[in-house]
């Protein structure tokens, strides 16, 4: 009886987003264990993600299900009585939300070949720019060219890449635009790959925290790194950028963002994908920069992340082949859920993708010419 009560209420919520339980449309939800409904109420997004990983439910087009649910903002449709359901569900399953986070650690332990197959040829793990692009490789190149135009790169300029990943961005900019500079990362594996990739170019790769850098650069950038520094460190990030920019220097931030300011990250994402991460709001970004850097430009191309995530998802079968013995089923379902659900969230507009340009003192009135 208790599970049927959870199911009825959950079906009412999904109906707002035109999603059915057991329906025949690709975005409808197929639930294999009725205990899943209690877990949805007890643990919210964490319960949804973990029960999917455990095979308790499926969906042929998970990205569209998440897009519809996010677009309908089902959280706001919940009634006061739903809080009672959540309490009852937790009492039925008191240990359900206390699983270990080994899968979150394994997100970073799959090896460079896995990412080489899942990502583009430059191994850039961030949103591409799909205007006039037909492939993932082109979308990532177009993104880097867009950044170069915004930063006004010219041969001989010295550039700082904060959180450089596997070095594909600084490598491209050094080759294509004739710049020199430095790239920093705290990942030993990414450091080794980036150093080998940039060998022979006027680029120094350092295994170093960006807050320890104290040099001068004509411009700097970070790509999908701000969300990893933590909400309490946004101000320190802006101050570090300012310290390392020459007068009238430009800094570009590419980041996922949210319309609303939040304190906590999504529980499932925090446990399994990006531990300690936080998606900033416009207010949190601008307040962190106030009195430190000057805001020059704010550009949103949110839908491009939907397409990028779906390309990565399409590349997963090839990426799995790189793993010795193949992935276990739970890890495989975790990655599928991660990539498709993120695509759906960006498709709905519940999360956004921004490029924001700051200057150290203001580049003057001709910035947009």
């Amino acid at each position: 009886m208790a599970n049927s009560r959870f199911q009825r209420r959950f079906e009412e919520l999904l109906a707002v987003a035109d999603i059915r339980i057991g329906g025949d449309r690709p975005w409808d939800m197929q639930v294999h264990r009725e205990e899943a409904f209690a877990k949805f109420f007890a643990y919210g997004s964490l319960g949804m993600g973990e029960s999917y990983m455990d095979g308790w439910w499926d969906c042929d087009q998970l990205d569209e299900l998440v897009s519809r649910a996010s677009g309908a903002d089902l959280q706001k449709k919940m009634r006061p009585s739903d809080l009672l359901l959540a309490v009852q569900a937790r009492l039925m399953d008191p240990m359900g939300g206390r699983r270990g986070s080994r899968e979150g650690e394994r997100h970073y332990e799959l090896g460079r070949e896995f990412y080489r197959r899942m990502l583009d040829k430059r191994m850039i793990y961030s949103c591409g720019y799909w205007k006039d692009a037909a492939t993932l490789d082109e979308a990532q190149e177009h993104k880097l060219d867009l950044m170069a135009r915004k930063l006004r790169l010219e041969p001989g300029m010295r550039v700082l890449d904060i959180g450089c990943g596997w070095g594909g961005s600084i490598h491209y900019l050094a080759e294509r635009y004739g710049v020199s500079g430095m790239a920093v990362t705290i990942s030993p594996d990414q450091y080794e790959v980036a150093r080998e990739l940039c060998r022979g170019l006027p680029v120094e790769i350092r295994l170093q925290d960006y807050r320890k850098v104290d040099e001068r650069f004509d411009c700097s950038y970070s790509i999908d790194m701000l969300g990893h520094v933590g909400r309490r460190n946004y101000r320190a990030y802006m101050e570090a950028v300012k310290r390392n920019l020459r007068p009238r220097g430009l800094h570009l931030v590419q980041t996922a963002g949210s319309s609303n300011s939040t304190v906590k990250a999504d529980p499932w994402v925090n446990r399994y994908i990006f531990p300690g991460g936080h998606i900033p709001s416009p207010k949190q970004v601008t307040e962190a920069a106030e009195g430190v850097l000057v805001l020059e430009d704010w550009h949103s191309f949110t839908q491009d992340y939907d397409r990028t995530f779906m390309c990565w998802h399409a590349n997963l079968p090839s990426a799995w082949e790189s793993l010795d013995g193949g992935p276990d089923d739970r890890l495989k379902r975790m990655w599928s859920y991660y990539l498709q659900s993120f695509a759906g969230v960006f498709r709905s507009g519940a999360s956004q993708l921004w490029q924001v340009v700051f200057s150290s003192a203001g580049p003057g009135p001709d910035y947009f010419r």
Side-chain angles (χ1 to χ4, degrees):
M1 289 294 292
N3 281 323
S4 64
R5 186 168 70 253
F6 293 128
Q7 179 173 346
R8 285 196 302 271
R9 179 55 186 144
F10 193 68
E11 287 177 333
E12 291 173 2
L13 285 170
L14 290 187
V16 177
D18 192 26
I19 301 168
R20 301 171 191 153
I21 302 295
D24 58 3
R25 300 168 302 178
W27 62 84
D28 286 331
M29 197 175 195
Q30 312 302 322
V31 179
H32 310 307
R33 291 181 57 168
E34 62 179 20
E35 303 100 302
F37 298 110
K39 190 158 188 174
F40 298 159
F41 281 99
Y43 303 107
S45 67
L46 181 61
M48 288 284 293
E50 286 192 338
S51 58
Y52 182 86
M53 292 164 59
D54 290 332
W56 289 16
W57 65 276
D58 279 297
C59 178
D60 289 340
Q61 197 174 350
L62 178 59
D63 52 299
E64 184 60 19
L65 180 151
V66 173
S67 176
R68 288 168 177 266
S70 299
D73 201 1
L74 297 187
Q75 197 69 19
K76 289 185 177 180
K77 307 296 190 299
M78 298 184 76
R79 303 189 298 240
S81 59
D82 293 326
L83 297 178
L84 179 59
L85 285 177
V87 172
Q88 293 172 336
R90 287 214 176 199
L91 291 174
M92 292 168 58
D93 183 22
M95 296 299 291
R98 301 180 186 175
R99 303 194 65 154
S101 58
R102 177 60 182 159
E103 287 86 349
E105 297 172 9
R106 291 179 67 184
H107 181 104
Y108 298 97
E109 295 177 357
L110 295 178
R112 65 188 68 170
E113 185 59 28
F114 173 87
Y115 289 99
R116 197 182 306 278
R117 295 188 182 202
M118 188 185 79
L119 306 176
D120 65 299
K121 66 183 181 182
R122 292 185 173 81
M123 294 177 67
I124 297 176
Y125 198 10
S126 59
C127 181
Y129 185 55
W130 286 91
K131 184 179 180 181
D132 301 323
T135 67
L136 183 59
D137 286 341
E138 289 179 355
Q140 294 294 6
E141 284 190 10
H142 290 189
K143 182 262 296 296
L144 296 173
D145 288 331
L146 178 67
M147 290 171 50
R149 293 194 296 272
K150 290 178 178 179
L151 290 171
R152 299 183 167 184
L153 294 189
E154 296 179 359
M157 291 179 67
R158 191 162 187 255
V159 179
L160 172 64
D161 181 331
I162 300 174
C164 65
W166 287 279
S169 299
I170 192 68
H171 177 270
Y172 179 84
L173 296 177
E175 276 200 331
R176 180 66 61 91
Y177 292 93
V179 300
S180 63
M182 179 194 301
V184 295
T185 178
I186 58 172
S187 165
D189 181 63
Q190 292 182 340
Y191 165 75
E192 293 295 339
V193 174
R195 190 171 65 165
E196 180 62 31
L197 177 66
C198 293
R199 192 180 303 277
L201 292 173
V203 174
E204 179 186 3
I205 309 296
R206 286 189 186 175
L207 187 63
Q208 183 178 29
D209 189 306
Y210 73 95
R211 290 168 293 188
K212 302 296 185 181
V213 178
D214 189 8
E215 301 187 25
R216 293 295 177 268
F217 299 87
D218 297 297
C219 61
S220 58
Y221 63 86
S222 68
I223 306 175
D224 273 17
M225 186 266 189
L226 185 63
H228 294 280
V229 307
R231 178 178 58 89
R232 292 183 175 86
N233 296 318
Y234 291 159
R235 183 74 171 185
Y237 169 90
M238 298 296 180
E239 291 172 343
V241 167
K242 170 75 171 182
R243 182 180 67 248
N244 288 288
L245 278 180
R246 289 174 177 153
R248 294 189 177 275
L250 296 175
H251 177 71
L252 184 146
V253 177
Q254 179 170 307
T255 184
S258 171
S259 297
N260 301 310
S261 296
T262 60
V263 175
K264 296 181 179 180
D266 177 271
W268 185 83
V269 175
N270 187 59
R271 173 170 292 187
Y272 290 98
I273 306 301
F274 301 121
H278 177 267
I279 301 301
S281 69
K283 178 181 178 181
Q284 289 167 330
V285 172
T286 54
E287 283 188 345
E290 185 173 348
V292 180
L293 297 170
V294 178
L295 176 62
E296 300 292 348
D297 185 42
W298 196 296
H299 177 195
S300 176
F301 48 101
T302 296
Q303 296 301 313
D304 293 46
Y305 225 159
D306 171 14
R307 191 169 177 182
T308 302
F309 272 111
M310 292 308 294
C311 281
W312 293 342
H313 186 259
N315 291 339
L316 267 184
S318 174
W320 293 133
E321 294 175 359
S322 71
L323 303 182
D324 293 337
D328 63 71
D329 190 60
R330 198 165 192 263
L331 179 66
K332 197 170 184 178
R333 291 179 68 87
M334 184 197 85
W335 269 87
S336 182
Y337 186 81
Y338 154 49
L339 295 176
Q340 290 186 85
S341 64
F342 271 47
V345 168
F346 283 98
R347 188 179 308 162
S348 72
S351 291
Q352 295 92 52
L353 190 284
W354 308 318
Q355 281 189 356
V356 188
V357 179
F358 296 97
S359 68
S360 59
D366 63 341
Y367 177 74
F368 292 102
R369 289 183 185 174

